[in-house]
Amino acid sequence: MSATRLDTTHTGVSGRSRVTRANLAARAVPLIGMPLGIVLLLVVGAILSDRFLTLGNLVNVLINISILGVIVVGMTLVFITRGLADLSVPATVAVGAILTLGLQPAIGTLPAALVAILAALAAGCVNGLLIGYARINPVITTLAVSTIVLGIAQWSVGGVIVYGSDPAAQAFLNGRVFGIPVIVIVFLVVAVAGHLVLSRTTLGRWIYAAGSNPDATRASAVPLARTRASAFVLTAGLSGLAGVLLGVTLQTARPGIGAGYEFDAITAVVVGGISLLGGSGSIPRALGGLLFVAILNNILVLQGVPTPVQGIAKGLLIVGAVSLDIYLRRKGGRS
């Protein structure tokens, strides 16, 4: 009898050991994998091109990811709430750019930018109401809102290109403060603010709760509908800000100026290990994914790889990242 109990106890301890190892692996891979991947890319880039590790090239990488990075912060919130993705990003980016440049001559750049961001927030409110309160599928909702908003943007400018009239604003955003590009500073401020919201505020706790267990969250005191709506409103506002930055730096805007930003943001977030199933992730991890993709793109450009091949590489990254997420979650589920 005692031998039997001893054997059972031993089996239980062994099972718990396997469980612990599985949990540790599931948690460690997303945390350690991305930094190691970035370091590996830096080594590969340095070997393939002597221009890769130059200060000018690395600064250009940061500048290139700054506008997209603002959108990634918002898209991360949507993913964590299990909102799938916000496909209205191209439209809200276009609204931000078009309204800013279109209103510049009449009211100035800063007031025009505020109006543009408010217009983007209005589109986000529509998304939030339909998704959070009416519980309509996020992909269908944001796609429909994107079509409507983009149509309004095209109608407002007659389908033509809008040009800026404030070169001083362009010079400021393209300038540097203590050697750091202003647009990079704006991106870092948004990233830090987003991280603090997720990690230090009640809204951040609600966002994680909404994605981890919606049924339990709905039964508790957490306002699930308002939380999900807030994620889409914030994403729209940040996309509008990205449009403002894009329009002012280029001094030109057209209805299709935001095309592709939603796919690039989704790529960065997924590669950063933010699960489509929600409930986990962070801003630093998403930005790690953004940096990884940006460095990979930079290496491909320096090597003269055609754009279609770069698209194939992004697609493979998404497939690999999603497959890894599913594998780790199943492994953790068995534990």
Side-chain angles (χ1 to χ4, degrees), residues 23-308:
N23 286 338
L24 286 176
R27 294 177 182 178
V29 170
L31 294 176
I32 300 175
M34 183 53 62
L36 288 179
I38 291 175
V39 170
L40 178 62
L41 277 183
L42 290 174
V43 173
V44 171
I47 293 174
L48 293 178
S49 174
D50 55 1
R51 293 179 295 166
F52 177 73
L53 286 183
T54 60
L55 180 61
N57 182 62
L58 295 179
V59 170
N60 284 335
V61 170
L62 287 177
I63 292 174
N64 290 337
I65 68 173
S66 293
I67 293 177
L68 177 60
V70 172
I71 300 172
V72 167
V73 171
M75 193 70 78
T76 302
L77 304 180
V78 169
F79 266 59
I80 294 176
T81 59
R82 203 180 289 195
L84 299 180
D86 188 343
L87 300 185
S88 65
V89 163
T92 46
V93 169
V95 165
I98 289 172
L99 288 182
T100 300
L101 299 188
L103 295 175
Q104 265 185 351
I107 62 177
T109 300
L110 185 56
L114 292 176
V115 171
I117 293 174
L118 288 174
L121 285 170
C125 287
V126 176
N127 282 333
L129 289 172
L130 294 176
I131 295 168
Y133 291 90
R135 300 185 188 180
I136 301 177
N137 183 280
V139 172
I140 301 300
T141 298
T142 55
L143 186 60
V145 171
S146 173
T147 304
I148 295 171
V149 171
L150 195 57
I152 294 173
Q154 290 175 325
W155 172 78
S156 65
V157 297
V160 299
I161 297 176
V162 181
Y163 295 97
S165 57
D166 189 355
Q170 179 187 33
F172 172 73
L173 276 183
N174 288 330
R176 302 192 179 198
V177 176
F178 301 114
I180 305 175
V182 172
I183 198 165
V184 174
I185 295 175
V186 174
F187 159 56
L188 292 176
V189 169
V190 171
V192 170
H195 176 63
L196 291 177
V197 167
L198 268 181
S199 61
R200 302 292 178 87
T201 69
T202 301
L203 176 60
R205 292 192 292 272
W206 288 351
I207 285 174
Y208 283 112
S212 60
N213 194 333
D215 294 331
T217 301
R218 189 177 290 111
S220 68
V222 175
L224 179 60
R226 190 198 315 167
T227 301
R228 280 186 168 171
S230 298
F232 284 92
V233 171
L234 290 172
T235 302
L238 290 173
S239 299
L241 173 60
V244 170
L245 298 174
L246 188 60
V248 172
T249 53
L250 296 178
Q251 284 294 287
T252 180
R254 54 186 176 79
I257 193 172
Y261 274 95
E262 80 284 19
F263 177 72
D264 290 338
I266 291 170
T267 302
V269 173
V270 171
V271 171
I274 314 301
S275 176
L276 283 168
L277 299 179
S280 64
S282 67
I283 300 297
R285 283 173 58 179
L287 297 183
L290 173 64
L291 185 60
F292 182 92
V293 175
I295 293 174
L296 177 62
N297 282 343
N298 184 252
I299 293 174
L300 295 177
V301 169
L302 290 177
Q303 295 304 305
V305 176
T307 301

